[in-house]
Amino acid sequence: MHCTKRITDDIIWLGVSDRRLAMFENAFPIPRGVSYNSFLIKDEKTVLLDTVDKAVSGRFFENLAFALEGRALDYIIVNHMEPDHCATLGEIILRHPNVRIVVNAKTLVMIKQFFDFDIDSRAVIVKEGDTLATGRHTLSFYTAPMVHWPEVMVTYDAADKVLFSADAFGTFGAISGNIFADEVDFEADWLPDARRYYANIVGKYGTQVTALLTKASALEIDIICPLHGPVWRQNIGWYLDKYKKWAAWEPEEKGLVIAYASIYGNTENAADILASKLADRGIKNIAMYDVSAVHPSYILADCFRFSHIVFASSTYNGGIFPNMETLLLDIKAHLLQNRTMAFMENGTWVPMSAKLMKELISPLKNTTVLDNTVTIKSSLKPAQEAELESLADVICSTLK
Ligand code: FEO
């Protein structure tokens, strides 16, 4: 049996979804699963573009055998050497011993690190702009370093105007029958996971993503085939626009994340009251998160989405509450910038967290920190109402 989909007359999707994996990269929860996309071009030569994760290799090899219809595999192009795409490379060699492996020089080094088979005798080493003619198709290769590893390249098919974009334009989420983004309600059902995937997987490398977008803008693209999630053949400009904003660390929209760390509910109460006062001022886009209840990958994604962030944290062991510190380190690691931030802190004897949180995010570029820090000693008191009003006022005035 097989589960394949035709992308064009002779380009076939052979990908497989994994709905069992709890944590992608053993780091990010994926309750909607994930797909590993692999594509076969059936031309005068047969060309496979990337493979899949080891966990779904059985179904992948069924798909490959079905799609090849008894033909041998002539080439495999390795756009990205990360094991979620190339774990089955060794088995490809066993099944298709005469296959040529199309790689760049950096990929070659990594293949030798991950595998023990003889790569040198099989390698076709390509560099920026090189082409491979396979019959009707001519494939060209463009490097995309750090989107998401240093060896990444993308492949462009001039015949059908297809960009095989590696991790770029990918998303968490399993494929449920419909392989094309225009067959699902992408904005409603997929965008949050696409944003979360971008922010967490490649969010740090916005400069390199922008470089790839610039290269891609010189190509005529009708179809984008990423390594995860749906294939794009309509409304590509809409998704490109999201990517341009994310890559420049520009917020998609005016709005606010309130992330709080609360031990007995008093800091949470302050966050709730602030949100309520903002709502009274007509602010609609408010995403509030308990950092102990929500995985930081979700909060980071909304920090990429919105223009403003309020951090409210208890002081813990003389430092920042650990889950809040994890979130802030994540934000710092992904080089978030161009945001307005405000702080609230709590402490029963020495409130320290606001000072420490500000220090932690101080290397972030083009960040505006609002002056109106609120300090709570154990619990909010009626006399502090004015402080919260004034914080709400200043957030409101910078949001509108
Ligand atoms: Fe989907 Fe960077 O691997």
Side-chain angles (χ1 to χ4, degrees), residues 185-207:
D185 188 341
F186 193 90
E187 186 163 9
D189 299 332
W190 285 81
L191 181 59
D193 259 343
R195 184 189 294 112
R196 190 164 67 93
Y197 174 88
Y198 176 86
N200 289 277
I201 306 296
V202 279
K204 177 179 179 178
Y205 304 111
T207 309

Side-chain angles (χ1 to χ4, degrees), residues 24-25 36 80 82 84-85 148-149 167 197 201 227-228:
F24 183 77
E25 289 184 1
Y36 305 105
H80 186 14
E82 192 164 4
D84 58 333
H85 306 295
H148 139 235
W149 278 17
D167 274 343
Y197 174 88
I201 306 296
L227 285 176
H228 302 283

Side-chain angles (χ1 to χ4, degrees), residues 17 31-32 39 82 86 116 127-128 164 304 320 356 376:
S17 288
R32 294 178 60 247
F39 301 90
E82 192 164 4
C86 282
D116 296 316
K127 51 187 188 321
E128 181 78 13
F164 297 93
F304 269 70
I320 305 166
L356 296 171
I376 303 157

Side-chain angles (χ1 to χ4, degrees), residues 251-259 278 283 285-287 299 302-311 336-342 368 370 391-400:
E252 285 167 67
E253 52 191 305
K254 294 269 191 187
L256 181 77
V257 175
I258 301 177
L278 287 164
I283 304 301
N285 289 343
I286 304 173
I299 311 176
D302 264 352
C303 291
F304 269 70
R305 178 182 180 185
F306 288 127
S307 55
H308 286 54
I309 311 168
V310 175
F311 299 98
L336 190 71
Q337 43 200 275
N338 307 316
R339 297 299 189 275
T340 300
M341 297 181 181
T368 304
L370 300 176
L391 180 56
D393 279 339
V394 73
I395 290 172
C396 203
S397 69
T398 55
L399 261 175
K400 281 184 171 169

Side-chain angles (χ1 to χ4, degrees), residues 194-399:
R195 184 189 294 112
R196 190 164 67 93
Y197 174 88
Y198 176 86
N200 289 277
I201 306 296
V202 279
K204 177 179 179 178
Y205 304 111
T207 309
Q208 292 86 343
V209 173
T210 300
L212 175 60
L213 295 177
T214 305
K215 275 187 199 181
S217 67
L219 303 170
E220 218 180 311
I221 296 170
D222 286 347
I223 299 175
I224 296 179
C225 292
L227 285 176
H228 302 283
V231 167
W232 287 80
R233 60 181 179 182
Q234 288 179 20
N235 215 8
I236 289 174
W238 175 85
Y239 200 29
L240 271 173
D241 224 51
K242 294 286 177 200
Y243 254 71
K244 282 180 193 161
K245 287 204 170 84
W246 295 338
W249 293 277
E250 293 292 345
E252 285 167 67
E253 52 191 305
K254 294 269 191 187
L256 181 77
V257 175
I258 301 177
Y260 67 84
S262 190
I263 302 165
Y264 294 109
N266 290 301
T267 311
E268 179 180 23
N269 187 38
D272 261 331
I273 292 170
L274 177 66
S276 166
K277 289 187 184 305
L278 287 164
D280 290 346
R281 285 160 174 77
I283 304 301
K284 303 258 187 268
N285 289 343
I286 304 173
M288 189 143 80
Y289 292 106
D290 181 334
V291 296
S292 298
V294 179
H295 191 274
S297 64
Y298 290 90
I299 311 176
L300 182 73
D302 264 352
C303 291
F304 269 70
R305 178 182 180 185
F306 288 127
S307 55
H308 286 54
I309 311 168
V310 175
F311 299 98
S313 181
S314 310
T315 304
Y316 199 82
N317 282 335
I320 305 166
F321 188 83
N323 294 36
M324 178 62 84
E325 190 168 31
T326 299
L327 172 65
L328 289 161
L329 288 170
D330 225 13
I331 288 171
K332 185 179 166 190
H334 291 84
L335 308 180
L336 190 71
Q337 43 200 275
N338 307 316
R339 297 299 189 275
T340 300
M341 297 181 181
F343 294 86
M344 298 201 284
E345 65 179 347
N346 197 346
T348 292
W349 54 105
V350 187
M352 286 291 292
S353 47
K355 176 177 171 283
L356 296 171
M357 288 192 286
K358 286 179 199 174
E359 277 171 15
L360 200 155
I361 58 95
S362 63
L364 298 181
K365 287 186 192 160
N366 198 22
T367 299
T368 304
V369 175
L370 300 176
D371 290 334
N372 309 53
T373 297
V374 174
T375 296
I376 303 157
K377 292 205 79 170
S378 303
S379 69
L380 206 54
K381 299 297 175 199
Q384 291 188 281
E385 174 103 28
E387 285 179 54
L388 281 175
E389 291 285 352
S390 122
L391 180 56
D393 279 339
V394 73
I395 290 172
C396 203
S397 69
T398 55
L399 261 175

